[in-house]
Amino acid sequence: MTAAQEDLVRARDEFLEIGTPRVEDGAAIWRIARDSEVLDLNSSYSYLLWCRDFAATSVVARGRDGEPIAFVTGYVRPDRPEALVVWQVAVDRAHRGRGLAGVLLDALTAKVTGGHGVREIETTITPDNTASDALFTSYAKRHGASLSREVLFDGGLFPEGTHQPEVLYRIGPVAA
């Protein structure tokens, strides 16, 4: 059994299903993002909109009670329809460390490569986010895809003046 298959077996103990987010999931997704303590938290309103407008390019894992326990949000770049931008990945604290984020990323890839023509994944990660770096590096390796990194937005571009640079990770080609 491969490491990815072992992760899937471990993660399957944590959730009932992986599916498309619904508007009523927005509040739970916002709470998971807030409690992650590493994600830039958007307004609760934006998570409701995300579940409505970008549900086709996002996934959610539901626990045994049907409530979201993890999510991956993304969108197809308007100027590069072959590229899916992964916006946020978060797993509820009680379900971390079991490979669920990788399982969700794989599920999202399977969902968007067939129906949306996506062949490349993009995301941005701050240099100190070692968990996200490991997730996307592992994803590229698991899928036999190349991974490149470059600074997308220098920290000085952010109005707060204290933001770290955002490093663009580009992974591809990817397939289901």
Side-chain angles (χ1 to χ4, degrees):
M1 181 179 291
T2 68
Q5 290 168 327
E6 289 172 7
D7 284 347
L8 180 59
V9 168
R10 280 196 312 272
R12 287 259 182 228
D13 291 338
E14 299 298 315
F15 63 88
L16 185 59
E17 68 173 324
I18 294 176
T20 300
R22 302 182 296 253
V23 170
E24 54 270 17
D25 295 330
I29 289 172
W30 177 85
R31 282 191 292 278
I32 293 168
R34 179 198 63 199
D35 294 348
S36 75
E37 299 177 356
V38 294
L39 292 178
D40 287 337
L41 185 62
N42 300 295
S43 71
S44 56
Y45 176 72
S46 70
Y47 290 92
L48 295 170
L49 283 176
W50 204 279
C51 289
R52 184 191 75 168
D53 295 344
F54 298 104
T57 53
S58 301
V59 291
V60 64
R62 298 182 188 288
R64 303 209 184 278
D65 61 359
E67 283 295 307
I69 60 169
F71 69 89
V72 177
T73 55
Y75 64 90
V76 175
R77 280 189 57 188
D79 62 330
R80 294 192 64 229
E82 71 280 1
L84 174 77
V85 175
V86 174
W87 183 257
Q88 290 188 320
V89 178
V91 177
D92 180 80
R93 185 175 318 283
H95 301 278
R96 291 182 192 157
R98 297 181 183 100
L100 185 51
V103 170
L104 283 175
L105 203 50
D106 288 346
L108 180 58
T109 301
K111 180 178 178 179
V112 300
T113 54
H116 295 276
V118 168
R119 297 186 314 272
E120 185 176 273
I121 304 294
E122 292 183 354
T123 196
T124 60
I125 301 172
T126 55
D128 67 344
N129 191 336
T130 57
S132 288
D133 175 71
L135 172 66
F136 285 93
T137 300
S138 171
Y139 173 89
K141 188 175 190 179
R142 192 167 59 251
H143 289 271
S146 66
L147 168 63
S148 65
R149 297 174 182 91
E150 64 185 78
V151 173
L152 180 63
F153 299 123
D154 184 78
L157 293 173
F158 293 89
E160 309 95 319
T162 58
H163 201 285
Q164 293 185 48
E166 289 286 341
V167 177
L168 173 67
Y169 283 52
R170 186 172 285 133
I171 303 168
V174 296

